[in-house]
Amino acid sequence: PRAYFRQDEGGGSVSDAGARLAMRAAVSACLARHPGLTRLGVAVSGGGDSVALLVALAGLPGVVVEAATVDHGLRDGARAEADAVAGLCARLGVVHRRLDWRRDGDAGNLQAAARRARRVLIAGWARERGLQAVLLGHTLDDQAETVLMRLARGSGVDGLSGMAEATEGEGLLWLRPFLSTPRAALREFLRVQ
């Protein structure tokens, strides 16, 4: 679900502490594989995966975290979701920027155009802010979906490799620290926040 984060504050249990530690450990392990990163961006759509990543990154020692949300202007409620992310960022002490996409005429494959625009907008924002890497909230579930889609399209063995934890593009490092984490674990993490 979109804008999947808890509005209320609550106490925690032993399992709550475990969920918090597991998500922060996944993020810390990813960052440890890329030493020297101190200025990070996080792309936050308002969905549970990216919100969990934002919450796991916020307050991480030794790094500055900023967030961006792309509003493609394609869905009712997208602006409200971006505003909700901005509110969460304010509560977490994270600088947030909404990036608006205005498509030019008939984009052909609208979803592909929106994906390309999202990457270009986020990369431009990250470079402008002096961020060294942008973190994305893709999960183990997304990894499985990617492989299945490539299989359905008839990809060869090389095309079935799935997403990489780290890629470079648009002059930036893009990291996916949750590729080994099931979406359900992120939902549990958000539930206990």
Side-chain angles (χ1 to χ4, degrees):
R2 313 265 333 149
Y4 188 97
F5 54 90
R6 245 180 107 119
Q7 298 293 323
D8 59 315
E9 301 292 324
S13 68
V14 173
S15 64
D16 295 350
R20 288 185 188 100
L21 288 173
M23 294 310 108
R24 292 202 168 97
V27 170
S28 294
C30 176
L31 295 178
R33 289 187 285 277
H34 306 279
L37 298 177
T38 58
R39 293 191 50 77
L40 304 173
V42 58
V44 185
S45 66
D49 302 342
S50 61
V51 168
L53 180 57
L54 169 66
V55 172
L57 279 166
L60 202 62
V63 297
V64 172
V65 176
E66 297 190 23
T69 303
V70 176
D71 180 356
H72 297 93
L74 299 176
R75 287 183 304 99
D76 290 338
R79 179 62 51 100
E81 290 168 0
D83 291 344
V85 171
L88 175 61
C89 286
R91 290 192 300 279
L92 294 172
V94 172
V95 173
H96 176 265
R97 169 129 17 115
R98 188 186 73 236
L99 307 170
D100 295 319
W101 178 51
R102 299 294 172 244
R103 79 185 136 136
D104 299 322
D106 183 16
N109 182 335
L110 185 58
Q111 292 303 316
R115 274 191 306 276
R116 280 192 305 276
R118 183 169 50 246
R119 187 164 173 112
V120 168
L121 284 169
I122 290 171
W125 159 78
R127 286 191 304 270
E128 173 189 311
R129 299 296 299 165
L131 305 174
Q132 299 163 293
V134 174
L135 283 77
L136 306 170
H138 296 121
T139 67
L140 182 62
D141 302 73
D142 297 315
Q143 185 74 292
E145 290 167 11
T146 298
V147 170
L148 288 174
M149 285 189 314
R150 289 177 180 174
L151 182 63
R153 286 193 307 245
S155 292
V157 173
D158 291 339
L160 296 178
S161 60
M163 293 180 276
E165 178 188 77
T167 57
E168 292 189 18
E170 306 285 338
L172 284 172
L173 179 62
W174 302 80
L175 299 174
R176 295 174 179 90
F178 290 154
L179 281 182
S180 298
T181 306
R183 183 168 289 136
L186 298 182
R187 298 304 188 267
E188 178 61 16
F189 171 64
L190 289 174
R191 187 191 66 75
V192 302
Q193 293 304 303

